Amino acid sequence: MDNMDENGTVKKYRISRRHHMTIHWKDFIVNDNILVKDASLKERTSIVGRVGILMLSCGTGAWRVREAMNKVSRALKLTCSADIGLISLEFTCFDDERSCTQVLSLPNTGVNTDKLNDMEHFVNNFETVSISLTVKQVHLALDNIQRKTGNYSPLIAGLAAALACSSFIFLLGGGISEMICSFVGAGIGNWTRSKMNARHVTTLISIAVSVAIACLAYLCIFTFFKTFFQILVQHEAGYIGAMLFVIPGFPFITSILDISKLDMRSGLERLAYAIMVTLVAALIGWLVALMVHLRPGNFLTLGLSPLMILLLRIPASFCGVFGFSIMFNSSPKMATAAGCIGAVANTLRLELVDLTAIPPSAAAFVGALVAGLIASVINHYNGYPRISLTVPSIVIMVPGLYIYRAVYNIGSNAIGVGALWLTKAIMIIIFLPLGLFVARVLLDKDWRHFN
């Protein structure tokens, strides 16, 4: 586009074509030296909104976003009313005489537990620390959090997915061959997704491409083993493990938690997003399997004693949860804490299924309940956000194998079998967040009531 300056010289410049326009928060600052508590309504409202949208960008649920906005609003002598979705929020702040309304949105959704931890510390300390700062200083502090890059490179993210999915496939009943193939497939797949995310490729494309590459990588390694080591063809059943890194654990769990608190808009939007991601991944996996003749059969028996399986499930559960936590950008300490929770909760769940007559959905409820209770204790002592501990610890309980078998059988016109697997998957998915909900009800008085 051409423009002419005051001297008549033609200048050429490029107009940004971003679909989501950048908000320049510094433009809200009227006076660099005025304290935030004495700032104008517009300036104070911008701080409340920025805290809310940063919390939302971390992947946490509507209840937690609203709680953070309310804390900041009270410190700024404002009343805040917010309507929160998956990637957008509309809110109004009131003072004694006037009101100010803003509408904010994100270009995409994601999970960043490390940034969430920083934001929770900022919000919790706002009334005692930030309230004595200027508006500019508060925005600079939020700038530092917003600009904080991920803790891990695409290579580390790929290795984390490899560790998580190979552990996941063992917990599902796979052996060494399936674990190795899943390790390679999931690692390459999540590395690909991380590279595409860095280039801001849209969600569905990055999921579809990364799942397809993960499945093909599994097939290549499996073919190599079958050719040179004569492993049985039944080991191909483990290829489902190569795509489990795309399980949308955070949206699934937070959707039901939001719905339980009557944040229906956020809950339903998160649920729709989680279903979309799951269906795309499962359909791509099914199409690849159809082209290369892979079948989601049963795993071969490992031939291990119940005691040995129990002893192996503990480290496998830890490694699986630790890997998923790293994928969610948790710090190593936070990932270790989540891994310890998962080692206890997931092992308990699997042992209940094996040693008792309890249905898998009820066992999932017990496992999630235990995870929620332990996470509350850890939160009390070190301040890690509960959701940053609970979701990674129970995402390994999400029945990705059941979902894939449902899609595979429905796609093959075995509607009855597919419906059975889908029903089992839905029951478990519903009971997982219910377990966390009950844990919060028992230990968090704010969660028990509305006001």
Side-chain angles (χ1 to χ4, degrees):
M1 180 175 177
D2 294 345
N3 194 15
M4 188 173 295
D5 64 13
E6 58 184 4
N7 297 319
T9 304
V10 175
K11 299 185 298 182
K12 294 181 180 291
Y13 60 90
R14 181 183 178 187
I15 296 178
S16 174
R17 299 298 182 184
R18 291 181 179 179
H19 188 62
H20 289 262
M21 299 177 70
T22 301
I23 297 175
H24 300 284
W25 296 101
K26 64 181 180 181
D27 294 342
F28 287 93
I29 303 174
V30 177
N31 188 331
D32 288 350
N33 300 318
I34 193 169
L35 295 179
V36 66
K37 62 182 179 180
D38 300 321
S40 66
L41 174 61
K42 185 178 73 171
E43 290 174 299
R44 288 178 289 159
T45 300
S46 71
I47 292 173
V48 174
R50 192 173 186 189
V51 167
I53 203 68
L54 278 175
M55 290 287 292
L56 192 63
S57 71
C58 298
T60 191
W63 188 86
R64 184 64 68 191
V65 174
R66 182 177 289 105
E67 182 186 45
M69 296 175 72
N70 288 346
K71 283 184 178 180
V72 175
S73 296
R74 292 188 185 101
L76 297 175
K77 308 302 181 185
L78 296 174
T79 300
C80 180
S81 177
D83 183 26
I84 302 166
L86 173 65
I87 61 170
S88 64
L89 63 89
E90 297 85 43
F91 72 102
T92 300
C93 285
F94 305 84
D95 62 8
D96 294 335
E97 299 176 351
R98 298 163 299 166
S99 65
C100 182
T101 299
Q102 290 186 354
V103 179
L104 305 174
S105 64
L106 298 167
N108 199 4
T109 185
V111 178
N112 191 325
T113 53
D114 189 43
K115 186 179 290 187
L116 176 61
N117 187 44
D118 290 343
M119 281 302 302
E120 291 216 349
H121 284 298
F122 175 86
V123 170
N124 291 335
N125 296 326
F126 187 85
E127 189 168 8
T128 57
V129 178
S130 298
I131 199 67
S132 60
L133 302 177
T134 65
V135 177
K136 182 177 182 179
Q137 288 172 329
V138 171
H139 277 298
L140 287 175
L142 292 173
D143 282 342
N144 292 333
I145 298 176
Q146 181 177 342
R147 293 169 182 168
K148 190 175 181 180
T149 59
N151 294 330
Y152 309 104
S153 65
L155 176 61
I156 299 300
L159 290 174
L163 177 66
C165 292
S166 60
S167 301
F168 208 149
I169 207 66
F170 170 78
L171 296 170
L172 292 173
I176 296 296
S177 300
E178 291 91 339
M179 291 175 66
I180 295 174
C181 294
S182 295
F183 186 94
V184 175
I188 296 175
N190 199 48
W191 176 84
T192 301
R193 184 174 67 158
S194 297
K195 298 292 283 186
M196 296 180 75
N197 288 341
R199 294 179 176 274
H200 305 289
V201 177
T202 190
T203 301
L204 293 187
I205 296 176
S206 63
I207 290 173
V209 172
S210 61
V211 167
I213 290 176
C215 291
L216 293 174
Y218 184 99
L219 176 65
C220 291
I221 300 300
F222 173 74
T223 302
F224 174 82
F225 283 164
K226 186 172 66 172
T227 302
F228 294 98
F229 297 95
Q230 288 77 48
I231 65 171
L232 298 176
V233 71
Q234 287 88 341
H235 289 294
E236 70 181 14
Y239 84 100
I240 178 63
M243 67 177 80
L244 292 177
F245 64 90
V246 299
I247 289 178
F250 257 82
F252 263 135
I253 303 305
T254 55
S255 68
I256 305 300
L257 291 176
D258 280 347
I259 290 172
S260 71
K261 296 294 290 183
L262 299 185
D263 278 308
M264 303 303 291
R265 175 191 168 191
S266 175
L268 293 175
E269 288 182 11
R270 290 173 185 277
L271 183 60
Y273 173 80
I275 291 173
M276 176 189 71
V277 170
T278 304
L279 285 179
V280 169
L283 288 171
I284 293 297
W286 170 65
L287 289 173
V288 173
L290 207 62
M291 289 187 292
V292 299
H293 307 292
L294 290 172
R295 295 177 178 81
N298 294 322
F299 294 104
L300 295 175
T301 303
L302 296 177
L304 300 175
S305 66
L307 177 60
M308 182 59 66
I309 290 178
L310 168 63
L311 295 177
L312 291 176
R313 279 173 173 170
I314 295 173
S317 296
F318 174 87
C319 291
V321 174
F322 183 88
F324 277 115
S325 295
I326 296 298
M327 290 168 59
F328 296 149
N329 200 46
S330 297
S331 65
K333 288 185 178 180
M334 192 187 301
T336 300
C340 292
I341 296 173
V344 175
N346 190 56
T347 302
L348 173 63
R349 174 185 71 94
L350 294 172
E351 291 300 307
L352 285 174
V353 173
D354 286 352
L355 303 178
T356 69
I358 187 172
S361 55
F365 173 83
V366 173
L369 175 62
V370 170
L373 294 174
I374 299 175
S376 294
V377 175
I378 294 177
N379 169 264
H380 178 74
Y381 285 102
N382 61 21
Y384 289 148
R386 288 186 186 89
I387 198 168
S388 300
L389 300 175
T390 54
V391 174
S393 66
I394 69 172
V395 71
I396 202 167
M397 305 181 192
V398 175
L401 178 61
Y402 290 9
I403 296 171
Y404 178 75
R405 285 180 172 175
V407 172
Y408 182 91
N409 283 285
I410 292 173
S412 302
N413 292 324
I415 307 298
V417 178
L420 177 62
W421 284 113
L422 184 60
T423 302
K424 291 180 178 180
I426 291 174
M427 290 291 290
I428 294 174
I429 290 172
I430 291 175
F431 273 99
L432 286 174
L434 285 180
L436 297 183
F437 175 81
V438 172
R440 291 294 296 272
V441 167
L442 293 175
L443 298 179
D444 188 346
K445 66 179 186 298
D446 292 333
W447 189 269
R448 288 196 294 268
H449 305 283
F450 72 92
N451 56 56

